[in-house]
Amino acid sequence: MTGQDDTDFAARTLRELDRDRYLATLVLPAAHRPAISALLAFNAEVAAIRERVSGPQPGEIRLQWWNDALAGDGHGEVRQNPVAAALLDAIERHGLPAGTLQRLLGARRFDLYDDPMPDLPTFEGYAGETASTLFQLSAMILNHGEPVEPGDAAGHLGVAQAMIGHLRALGHVSSQGRIMLPWSILEANGVRESELFTGRDSEGLHAALGQIAELAGEHLDKARTAIAALPSGLRPAFAAIAVLERQLADWRQKTGSPFAPPPGDPDWRKITRLAWWTWRNR
């Protein structure tokens, strides 16, 4: 059984690696916060693999370690990792499907390589297996381990979150020689890879990013409708929508290079947005 030290470590890991998701856990019911924090900390650890390794092969080894842990093949040493221990406890307590988390690991293999995200359906599939999965399983934890159907809220909010995140991270990701937004949309607007990798602005780039922002807005609208139809006890799992709506609005209003770091609210304002949204959607 996982100790308090493991759950505390998982929460600290989440706070350090994925600040926005950590802040969103603060409005969750206290009884379910440790399990959801462990789930999100696992994702944060996996998402950070590329930044921590020298190349794809060491990254593949780390992903395989997590896959073995989820499959029960990691033996006793797995629980020496506090995040893994907290995650496995959450899986056992709430009946979370390990296979869903293994698919998340499979999707995260894309992060290790420099292949461009080819098109919108592939991006939506990637977002569905990563960001949407986290919303869906968080709602399942709030639902006492029972599946949450049909998953529209998680599906649309996850895609919106991924789109907004990569719009905001364009400069950082492009500087690594990576294209995480749908290349087909960029290419259709005359954008060249060399322009992205050198941080060169263009009308075509603005047009393409504007189209992606419109798609993100459409997913937010659909997510909002789907969340409203959920039982009130499940809605806190989706409180991040309050921060995402503001981030998309700020991105649309900003001027200057799309490669420049976007403006962001301080933590206290994000917490206020999350708390107000949660109160209104009780």
Side-chain angles (χ1 to χ4, degrees):
M1 197 62 73
T2 299
Q4 186 65 40
D5 288 348
D6 293 331
T7 56
D8 289 346
F9 185 92
R12 290 196 301 272
T13 297
L14 179 60
R15 182 179 63 203
E16 293 165 7
L17 296 181
D18 195 338
R19 192 75 173 182
D20 282 358
R21 283 193 172 99
Y22 167 75
L23 295 177
T25 66
L26 300 182
V27 299
L28 294 171
H32 298 300
R33 192 178 303 143
I36 294 177
S37 293
L39 171 68
L40 299 179
F42 154 73
N43 175 73
E45 285 275 12
V46 172
I49 286 176
R50 180 185 170 110
E51 305 286 344
R52 294 174 169 176
V53 298
S54 58
Q57 289 310 308
E60 293 274 13
I61 291 171
R62 293 203 182 192
L63 287 177
Q64 187 60 48
W65 185 92
W66 280 106
N67 193 73
D68 290 345
L70 291 169
D73 298 332
H75 308 293
E77 71 273 10
V78 167
R79 287 189 178 268
Q80 295 177 15
N81 179 315
V83 173
L87 175 66
L88 292 174
D89 184 63
I91 290 172
E92 292 166 7
R93 285 176 179 268
H94 301 281
L96 303 181
T100 299
L101 295 175
Q102 289 174 310
R103 289 195 295 275
L104 182 152
L105 292 173
R108 284 291 184 186
R109 291 187 67 247
F110 185 88
D111 298 355
L112 304 178
Y113 300 89
D114 292 337
D115 299 327
M117 182 67 68
D119 50 38
L120 182 60
T122 305
F123 181 93
E124 290 178 335
Y126 170 88
E129 297 286 10
T130 54
S132 296
T133 286
L134 299 176
F135 286 121
Q136 187 75 356
L137 295 184
S138 295
M140 184 175 172
I141 290 170
L142 294 185
N143 204 34
H144 309 289
E146 294 298 320
V148 180
E149 297 295 345
D152 290 346
H156 289 298
L157 191 57
V159 173
Q161 185 177 54
M163 284 182 171
I164 294 165
H166 282 294
L167 284 170
R168 291 169 54 81
L170 180 67
H172 174 69
V173 174
S174 297
S175 70
Q176 298 177 327
R178 303 169 67 205
I179 299 172
M180 289 297 293
L181 291 169
W183 174 241
S184 59
I185 296 177
L186 295 161
E187 187 177 39
N189 285 276
V191 179
R192 299 179 180 179
E193 286 189 358
S194 59
E195 294 174 343
L196 288 172
F197 298 157
T198 58
R200 194 184 318 155
D201 204 349
S202 69
E203 290 185 7
L205 179 59
H206 276 275
L209 297 180
Q211 290 170 18
I212 295 169
E214 286 299 316
L215 290 170
E218 291 172 7
H219 280 290
L220 281 180
D221 290 342
K222 292 175 181 177
R224 196 178 303 111
T225 299
I227 292 167
L230 291 172
S232 60
L234 304 185
R235 293 174 196 161
F238 304 94
I241 191 172
V243 171
L244 293 171
E245 288 172 338
R246 184 70 259 166
Q247 288 178 339
L248 181 59
D250 287 344
W251 185 90
R252 284 170 162 163
Q253 292 168 9
K254 83 183 184 85
T255 58
S257 171
F259 297 97
D265 280 344
D267 285 354
W268 69 265
R269 188 164 288 162
K270 290 177 182 177
I271 293 170
T272 300
R273 294 189 193 284
L274 290 163
W276 176 242
W277 185 93
T278 302
W279 183 83
R280 290 181 59 203
N281 286 274
R282 290 185 300 178

